[in-house]
């Protein structure tokens, strides 16, 4: 019997004419399938509204098939970096969405409507902020240079939800050896030499445009060649090369050309930002584990090496929090929060240490003060909601989260927290409606419909809530029927 995902991938090959570069990483020993870099859709194929719907649907599929790192501090940094580069690109008004995939493999990818993903493995593999910016600028260039219009021919008989599912199936297939092997064979058979030449041309063009973007955004234009060369050199010691080199083929000629282009820009120092170093410290704790990270930060503090002293202290405190050693972490974070009042990561970590040592009122004031200045900040909003839940005040948590989702819209984690708060309040219909949105944004359409059906079978006393549930259920059922028909 044919694996169902294999059937989806075979159909996807008939929709996608050429596969380009970039996908979230595959496991060791698994067959690699190259996720296409979808650029700006041609107006003759898609309207801008169609492209937005495809991008939204594609992102939901990615969320359903990979593990997204839901960390507000990391998200905020990656988005700030991404939009700084996008503003310096050839299409500064174009929409982009940046996500971080929890995967130790070194890789990045671009998708429809400017969806760009970075693996955590990439964030810890780069040796400077400019190297990370180089990869993001390269992916942005794939989008702004309309590589989807030049590389793909989308068949009009497929609906947006079906097409998004087919494209994302290539990513899903990368995690399934049976499906991945079948798709790889089908793709190789579909590619002509001219199409492969186009893929290589796209890579060179993305390098050229990305280097220009790097320089305009204030990053080291030579970082792209530096990162590529270091990965190529390191690959000699890998049993198999890093996934990034498989999905972004690098040659000596390509590295030399990147260096030549970078040399046209004047040299200067490009120091790493504190935000970049803080994210690296956090990922070190998450990826290496708190015990190993603690030893590393203690050693760097003792010998004065590594990142900025304040960031070493932050990493040390995060490792202590992860080990539930709150009393020791608290004075470190209190000092950081006092010395750097505008760094919300320090304020949040300090508030969490205060909560765990019984200082709920002090923690509450930190969150309230931060949100007075930084309205609807994601990190502080979630921290305040968690605090109200810990204090057994779910109605206050709901109030905070409802204001946030009204302002920010599609945030899967926010809806999950809101569902928990409503359930603690005893508002089951509202809880199921929020849980449905959480599942929908994570690509689980069937579960979203299921929870809305349950909400409709046991309506609340709120007429407007019941009406919203009915309207949303009708909308998602229609999307489900389009997917099934496709």
């Amino acid at each position: 019997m044919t694996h169902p995902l294999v059937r989806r991938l075979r159909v996807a090959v008939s929709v996608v004419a050429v596969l380009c570069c970039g996908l979230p990483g595959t496991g060791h020993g698994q067959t690699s399938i190259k996720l296409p870099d979808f650029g700006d859709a041609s107006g003759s194929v898609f309207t801008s509204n169609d492209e937005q719907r495809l991008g939204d649907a594609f992102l939901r599929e990615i969320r359903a098939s990979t593990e997204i790192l839901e960390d507000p501090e990391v998200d905020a940094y990656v988005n700030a970096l991404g939009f700084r580069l996008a503003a310096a690109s050839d299409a500064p008004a174009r929409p982009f969405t940046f996500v971080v995939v929890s995967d130790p493999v070194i890789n990045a990818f671009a998708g429809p409507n400017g969806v760009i993903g970075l693996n955590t493995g990439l964030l810890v593999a780069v040796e400077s902020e400019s190297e990370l910016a180089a990869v993001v600028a390269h992916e942005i260039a794939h989008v702004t240079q309309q590589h989807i219009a030049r590389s793909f021919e989308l068949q009009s008989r497929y609906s947006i939800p079906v097409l998004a599912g087919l494209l994302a199936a290539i990513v899903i297939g990368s995690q399934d050896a049976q499906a991945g092997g079948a798709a790889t064979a089908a793709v190789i058979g579909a590619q002509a030499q001219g199409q492969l030449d186009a893929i290589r041309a796209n890579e060179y063009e993305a390098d050229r445009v990305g280097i220009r973007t790097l320089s305009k955004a204030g990053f080291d234009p030579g970082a792209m060649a530096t990162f590529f060369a270091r990965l190529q050199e390191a690959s000699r010691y890998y049993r198999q090369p890093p996934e990034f080199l498989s999905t972004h083929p690098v040659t000596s000629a390509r590295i030399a050309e990147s260096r030549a282009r970078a040399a046209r820009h004047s040299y200067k120092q490009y120091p790493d930002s504190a935000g970049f170093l803080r994210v690296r410290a956090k990922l070190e704790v998450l990826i290496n584990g708190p015990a190993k990270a603690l030893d590393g930060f203690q050693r760097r503090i003792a010998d004065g090496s590594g990142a900025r002293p304040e960031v070493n202290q932050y990493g040390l405190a995060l490792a202590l929090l992860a080990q539930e050693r709150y009393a020791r972490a608290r004075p470190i974070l209190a000092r950081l929060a006092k010395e750097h009042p505008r760094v919300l990561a320090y304020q949040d970590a300090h508030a969490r240490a205060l909560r765990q040592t019984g200082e709920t009122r002090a923690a509450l004031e930190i969150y309230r003060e931060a949100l007075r200045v930084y309205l609807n900040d994601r990190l502080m909003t979630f921290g305040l909601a968690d605090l109200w839940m810990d204090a057994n005040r779910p109605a206050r948590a709901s109030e905070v989260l409802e204001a946030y989702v009204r302002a920010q819209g599609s945030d899967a984690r926010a809806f999950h927290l809101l569902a928990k708060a409503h359930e603690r309040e005893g508002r089951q219909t509202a809880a199921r409606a929020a849980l449905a949105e959480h599942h929908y944004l994570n690509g689980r359409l069937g579960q979203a419909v299921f929870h809305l059906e349950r909400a409709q079978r046991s309506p609340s006393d709120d007429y407007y809530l019941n009406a919203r549930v009915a309207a949303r259920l009708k909308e998602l059922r229609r999307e489900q029927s389009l997917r099934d028909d496709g």
Side-chain angles (χ1 to χ4, degrees), residues 21-25 35-37 99 101 105-111 115-123 132 135-136 138-139 142 227 243-245 247-248:
C21 306
L23 79 166
L35 174 68
D37 271 309
V99 296
V101 178
V105 172
I106 302 169
N107 217 344
F109 69 92
V115 175
I116 291 178
L118 308 175
N119 283 8
T120 52
L122 172 68
L123 270 67
L132 178 61
V135 176
V136 179
H138 177 95
E139 301 301 337
H142 274 303
F227 181 61
E243 191 65 35
F244 188 91
L245 295 183
T247 59
H248 302 73

Side-chain angles (χ1 to χ4, degrees), residues 402-468:
E402 283 174 342
Y404 175 81
V405 296
R406 281 196 300 270
Q408 303 299 324
S410 303
D411 190 317
R413 187 181 176 193
F415 278 111
H416 191 244
L417 293 174
L418 184 57
K420 288 183 176 179
H422 283 326
E423 186 174 12
R424 289 268 295 273
E425 289 180 276
R427 299 175 59 193
Q428 293 302 322
T429 303
R432 287 165 182 157
L435 191 57
E437 293 304 319
H438 164 74
H439 285 301
Y440 178 75
L441 292 169
N442 279 312
R444 297 186 288 267
L445 179 58
Q447 291 187 50
V449 169
F450 169 77
H451 285 289
L452 287 173
E453 288 173 341
R454 289 190 64 193
Q456 194 173 54
R457 285 197 296 268
S458 55
S460 75
D461 295 332
D462 186 337
Y463 168 82
Y464 296 102
L465 173 60
N466 296 335
R468 289 198 301 270

